[in-house]
Amino acid sequence: MSTSLLALAALLWVLLAQSWQAFAPAPVALLQWRDDAGEHSLLASVLAQDEQVLIVRGSEWQRRGDAYRRVLRSSLVHLSFPADALNLRLADGREILLRGSEQSWRGLDPQQRLVLPGADGEVPVRGADLVEVVAVNALSGWQRLGTGLQRALGFAGGTGGSGLFAALLGTVVLVMLMSVLVMPLGVLVALWLHEYAGNDQLARGLRAAIANLASVPSVIYGLFGLVLFVHGIGGSLDVLLSGTTAPVPHWGRGGLLWSALTLALLTLPVVVISVEEGLARVPPGLRQAALALGATRAEMLWRVVLPVARPALLTALILAVARAAGEVAPLMLVGAVKYAPALPLNGEFPYLHLSQQFMHLGHGVYDLALTGSDGPRDLAQAHATALLLLLVVIGLNASAIVVRNRLRERSRELSA
C-alpha cells in the first residue's frame, strides 16, 4: 500500500514539475552577441541555460513557436535583465517582449487597435487580443508563483483551443455515462453466472471468454464500436429517421453515446469478474435465512445479496472508471476530436447531446505531445493535461472508495 502511494506521489510530482514549465514566467534578458554575420541584439525569455549555451525565445511576431534560438555563451557581448522588460501574452498564445511601463498597457479598450514594432514591420493587435501584461523581471518569488498559478487555472478552465474546460467536461460526462451503461449490465451478467448458471460447461466457457476479453487491446474495441455502433446502428438510425441516406450523418458518425457504449463493452469484463467475486463472499447463511423467511429467490437477491455485495459493486465501478478514463485509442475512432463545435452538455434541450462529438483529456495529451506546433510549451501543456486527467481519475475513485468503505462497515455489521 505504501509503495503504491509513493509511486503515485512520485508520478504526480513529475507531472507537476514538467507542467510548471508551461506556466512559470521566464525571466526576460537583453542579449547582445557577435558571430560571423555581425553583431545582434535580442530581447528574449531565457528558458534554459548551462555553461555553454542559452535556450531563449524571442517575440513571436508571426506565429506561436517560431522564435526559439540557441545562443552560445562564448559569443555573448552583453547579458542583462532589464527591470522594465514586459511580457505581452496574446489570445492566440503568442508572447511579445517589449520594454516600457506596465501601467501604460492597463485599461485598454477591447476595440482599440495597437501597433507593435515587429521585427519585420509593424504588427497590429486589438486590445481584446491582449490577455496579460507582466513585468517579469520585477516579480517577487510569490508574485511569480501567483502568475504561474493564474495561467494554469486559465489553461484548465479556458474553452476552445486555449483551455481544457471542454475536454474536462467531455471526459467526466463520458465516464459517468459509461458507468450508467456498464454497471446494470455487468451486475446482471454476474448474478446470472453466480446464482443461476452454476458450474456447467456453458458457464465455464462464458467465464473463460469474459476473462479473455479483459485482455483484448482497447483499439480492437474501437474498431468494433466503429463498425457496430457508428456505421451499423448509427447508419441504420439515419436511414430510418430520414427515409434515405442522410447527406450529413447525425447518428452515423462518432459521438458521445457510441463512445460510452464502446467503453462499456471494454470495461464489462472487469465489472463482471469483480461483482461475481463479491457475490461469492456473501455469507451463505444470509441467503438461507431470507429463503427460510419466505422470500423468493429474486427478493433474496434484490433485498439481501446485492445490498451486502455493494462494496464489491463499487470496487467494480472504481476499476471500470480507472480503465475507461485514460483510454484514447478507441475514442479516436468513435467520437473524440481535437476541437468540438459545441459542448456535449449545455443549456440547450435536450441538454445532454448523445450524438455530439466531444473533446477528451486523453486525446488532448496525445495531440499536444505529438502534433503541436510549439514543441517545448506543447509538451509541458501535455504534462499539465495528463496531470488534470490523473486528478479526475483520483477524485472519482476516491469518492467511490469512501462510499465503499462505509458500505463495507455496514455489511460487516449486518453479517455479524
Side-chain angles (χ1 to χ4, degrees):
M1 181 66 177
S2 59
T3 303
S4 300
L5 292 177
L6 286 175
L8 178 60
L11 178 60
L12 289 173
W13 174 254
V14 170
L15 290 176
L16 181 61
Q18 295 295 322
S19 303
W20 184 245
Q21 299 178 16
F23 310 112
V28 177
L30 178 61
L31 301 97
Q32 294 178 350
W33 72 94
R34 185 181 295 109
D35 55 21
D36 296 338
E39 190 166 322
H40 309 273
S41 178
L42 179 66
L43 194 65
S45 299
V46 180
L47 306 179
Q49 56 182 315
D50 55 27
E51 296 180 355
Q52 286 80 32
V53 68
L54 281 78
I55 307 298
V56 300
R57 182 177 62 237
S59 295
E60 298 167 309
W61 298 111
Q62 300 300 326
R63 63 179 180 84
R64 182 173 179 263
D66 66 349
Y68 289 95
R69 182 186 292 270
R70 295 166 60 91
V71 179
L72 296 176
R73 282 189 177 273
S74 59
S75 66
L76 282 176
V77 176
H78 175 76
L79 173 63
S80 64
F81 295 88
D84 61 346
L86 301 178
N87 185 318
L88 281 62
R89 297 181 66 241
L90 305 181
D92 59 4
R94 290 181 295 158
E95 294 187 2
I96 307 297
L97 305 176
L98 299 172
R99 297 184 67 178
S101 171
E102 183 178 357
Q103 296 300 324
S104 63
W105 296 91
R106 303 293 184 184
L108 293 175
D109 190 302
Q111 301 303 321
Q112 182 177 351
R113 295 185 64 85
L114 311 174
V115 179
L116 303 179
D120 300 323
E122 295 181 339
V123 179
V125 175
R126 292 187 309 141
D129 297 330
L130 192 62
V131 298
E132 183 186 77
V133 178
V134 180
V136 182
N137 296 337
L139 295 178
S140 65
W142 287 108
Q143 290 173 330
R144 192 178 299 273
L145 176 63
T147 301
L149 290 176
Q150 184 177 3
R151 290 179 178 180
L153 291 175
F155 178 68
T159 57
S162 61
L164 297 179
F165 176 76
L168 175 61
L169 180 64
T171 303
V172 173
V173 171
L174 173 67
V175 170
M176 295 181 66
L177 182 59
M178 178 276 302
S179 302
V180 171
L181 294 173
V182 74
M183 287 305 297
L185 179 60
V187 171
L188 289 175
V189 173
L191 278 174
W192 181 81
L193 283 174
H194 189 268
E195 301 292 338
Y196 294 96
N199 199 32
D200 58 12
Q201 186 174 359
L202 175 62
R204 290 196 301 270
L206 186 56
R207 288 189 179 93
I210 291 174
N212 289 329
L213 285 175
S215 61
V216 173
S218 60
V219 70
I220 304 301
Y221 284 97
L223 288 171
F224 181 79
L226 179 65
V227 173
L228 176 62
F229 298 133
V230 179
H231 295 162
I233 300 177
S236 300
L237 282 175
D238 282 337
V239 172
L240 180 64
L241 296 176
S242 63
T244 182
T245 303
V248 179
H250 181 74
W251 292 102
R253 62 173 185 173
L256 180 64
L257 178 60
W258 308 139
S259 299
L261 285 171
T262 301
L263 290 184
L265 288 180
L266 186 149
T267 56
L268 181 62
V270 176
V271 173
V272 173
I273 293 172
S274 300
V275 173
E276 190 176 8
E277 290 177 354
L279 294 174
R281 289 195 295 268
V282 176
L286 291 178
R287 291 182 172 87
Q288 297 169 3
L291 295 174
L293 291 174
T296 64
R297 192 169 189 179
E299 291 173 337
M300 178 266 294
L301 293 175
W302 180 254
R303 297 182 179 275
V304 177
V305 175
L306 285 180
V308 175
R310 278 184 297 185
L313 271 63
L314 286 173
T315 299
L317 177 61
I318 293 170
L319 295 174
V321 168
R323 174 81 191 276
E327 291 293 346
V328 180
L331 299 181
M332 294 173 66
L333 298 174
V334 293
V337 293
K338 181 177 180 179
Y339 296 118
L343 296 176
L345 182 66
N346 55 40
E348 298 181 4
F349 185 82
Y351 311 117
L352 180 62
H353 304 275
L354 296 177
S355 63
Q356 176 68 52
Q357 292 180 324
F358 62 97
M359 297 172 64
H360 188 271
L361 289 174
H363 190 282
V365 173
Y366 164 81
D367 182 69
L368 287 168
L370 297 181
T371 65
S373 60
D374 184 357
R377 269 183 298 195
D378 285 338
L379 185 59
Q381 289 182 352
H383 284 91
T385 306
L387 177 62
L388 182 59
L389 176 59
L390 185 57
L391 292 177
V392 168
V393 175
I394 291 175
L396 293 173
N397 287 347
S399 302
I401 288 172
V402 170
V403 176
R404 182 192 63 182
N405 291 340
R406 292 182 179 178
L407 292 176
R408 183 173 292 170
E409 293 297 326
R410 294 180 182 177
S411 299
R412 289 174 180 172
E413 294 175 0
L414 181 61
S415 59

